[in-house]
Amino acid sequence: MAAVPHTAVRVGRTHTLVVGANEQPRDAKHLADLLSAAERPPLLMIHGYGAAAPFWFRNVSELAASGRMVLAVDLLGFGRSERAAFPNSTDDKLADALAAERFFLDELEAFRAALGIDNRKISLLGHSLGAYLSAIHAMEAAESIEQLVLASPVGIPAAPPGGMVGRNRAMRMLIKLWERGATPQQLVRVAGPKGQQLVKRAVGARFGSLADVDKDALAEYTFHASVARASGERALNSILSPGAFARRPLVDRFDTLPKSLPVLFVYGSHDWMDVSAGRHVSRSAPDWHVEIVDSAGHQLAIEQPAEFNRIVGNFLDHGLPSRTLIRRKVRTRRTKVDGFTKM
């Protein structure tokens, strides 16, 4: 992947990439000091399922360019963060989902506390599963969240009545494997020496527009992360039911989020996440907006980084959806031409 100037810092059990600091942090204590002296709230970025902080490689520098420090974390059990023991499954699916959420969120709270930003404002950006967890964290710590960006969030809508039904034998087998706790990473491990080729083909098919050097680096990283000790990957089946519907859907929980908190939902134009669910929730408050990244799918931050960075950067810098900002700029130019100012 293209080199991005950054510093890797271990904070407790969490590995994080730091971009935009005035000087390179030597350790967690030094990073805490830099955050304390920073003029702007930092941006905390949380990746999706099976990913890690390096998946933001096309975004972190641009989002740090306006003077904010960016902290891109590896969730507990993913990337280079500690591969902690994941909660054992029980017969109570809702209890398992709650335990899985706490596995990640308790560590996120400890991470913020260790850096002294647990009671200070941050901006929060999550993708997919990271967006799901970011939303819950914002619900629980709203007073310390400046802005919330949910990129292609999983888990907003409730599952259809009766759940997902297998229409053929293959689908029924997949549902059975899902409910038994199977994960994509297990397939890579079972494949043995062929696992690396499986990952390389999957990355090539998913990110065909990337340069070969970036695809190769992403595939190499993903393979080694996938064959490491199983940990956070087990959240797939605990938090989500077949069809990627949350066992504890966010649509039933957004009423606990303050309506005064600026929230941006961002989807790809051909995203497999349900944009209608985001639109439905966004109508709950005037400062909740939905934006679409053209020619992008679920991995919108990698597929169309320039547009993603523009939309998210405008929201973080101005608190407005990008189209509103453009309209305001147009009106400003017209007032100058017309020779008068509208208030």
Side-chain angles (χ1 to χ4, degrees), residues 130-147:
Y132 176 88
L133 296 170
S134 295
I136 300 172
H137 182 62
M139 294 170 190
E140 297 176 344
E143 70 285 347
S144 67
I145 306 299
E146 182 89 357
Q147 299 151 309

Side-chain angles (χ1 to χ4, degrees), residues 49-309:
Y49 179 81
F55 276 65
W56 298 110
F57 76 104
R58 305 187 87 180
N59 317 110
V60 286
S61 293
E62 289 76 7
L63 294 178
S66 60
R68 70 174 61 83
M69 198 181 307
V70 171
L71 309 176
V73 301
D74 291 347
L75 285 168
L76 184 64
F78 286 110
R80 295 177 64 187
S81 287
E82 183 177 316
R83 298 286 172 140
F86 195 81
N88 291 324
S89 299
T90 69
D91 293 330
D92 188 336
K93 295 295 186 183
L94 290 180
D96 288 351
L98 178 59
E101 291 175 6
R102 296 319 323 166
F103 175 81
F104 298 115
L105 293 170
D106 289 350
E107 183 62 27
L108 180 60
E109 292 170 5
F111 170 83
R112 291 188 63 184
L115 293 177
I117 55 173
D118 49 332
N119 293 314
R120 295 176 53 212
K121 292 283 189 179
I122 66 167
S123 295
L124 186 57
L125 164 59
H127 172 249
S128 194
L129 177 64
Y132 176 88
L133 296 170
S134 295
I136 300 172
H137 182 62
M139 294 170 190
E140 297 176 344
E143 70 285 347
S144 67
I145 306 299
E146 182 89 357
Q147 299 151 309
L148 175 64
V149 181
L150 305 178
S152 192
V154 74
I156 293 182
M164 186 176 179
V165 178
R167 299 183 181 276
N168 53 53
R169 184 178 180 182
M171 184 61 70
R172 289 192 292 271
M173 178 60 71
L174 286 174
I175 291 174
K176 184 178 293 187
L177 288 171
W178 186 298
E179 292 291 16
R180 289 181 177 177
T183 68
Q185 292 84 350
Q186 286 179 341
L187 176 61
V188 176
R189 296 187 192 100
V190 169
K194 295 182 179 179
Q196 193 158 15
Q197 284 303 313
L198 285 176
V199 172
K200 187 172 183 177
R201 284 199 295 269
V203 169
R206 188 67 188 84
F207 302 109
S209 63
L210 287 180
D212 287 344
V213 64
D214 289 337
K215 283 188 288 189
D216 289 345
L218 198 59
E220 183 79 7
Y221 183 91
T222 302
F223 169 72
H224 288 289
S226 296
V227 297
R229 176 185 173 184
S231 178
E233 71 187 67
R234 295 175 57 196
L236 177 69
N237 326 83
S238 298
I239 290 177
L240 304 176
S241 64
F245 293 100
R247 300 188 191 276
R248 304 179 72 234
L250 294 177
V251 70
D252 300 329
R253 305 158 75 178
F254 269 106
D255 59 352
T256 64
L257 198 65
K259 301 298 186 288
S260 58
L261 175 65
V263 180
L264 177 65
F265 300 82
V266 192
Y267 294 86
S269 58
H270 51 272
D271 207 317
W272 66 275
M273 291 299 168
D274 185 5
V275 65
S276 66
R279 293 192 192 282
H280 170 75
V281 171
S282 71
R283 298 188 188 103
S284 302
D287 289 329
W288 296 5
H289 308 283
V290 175
E291 288 276 322
I292 305 297
V293 176
D294 291 335
S295 303
H298 183 55
Q299 296 288 347
L300 63 174
I302 294 178
E303 295 169 21
Q304 296 295 337
E307 181 69 358
F308 179 85
N309 296 337

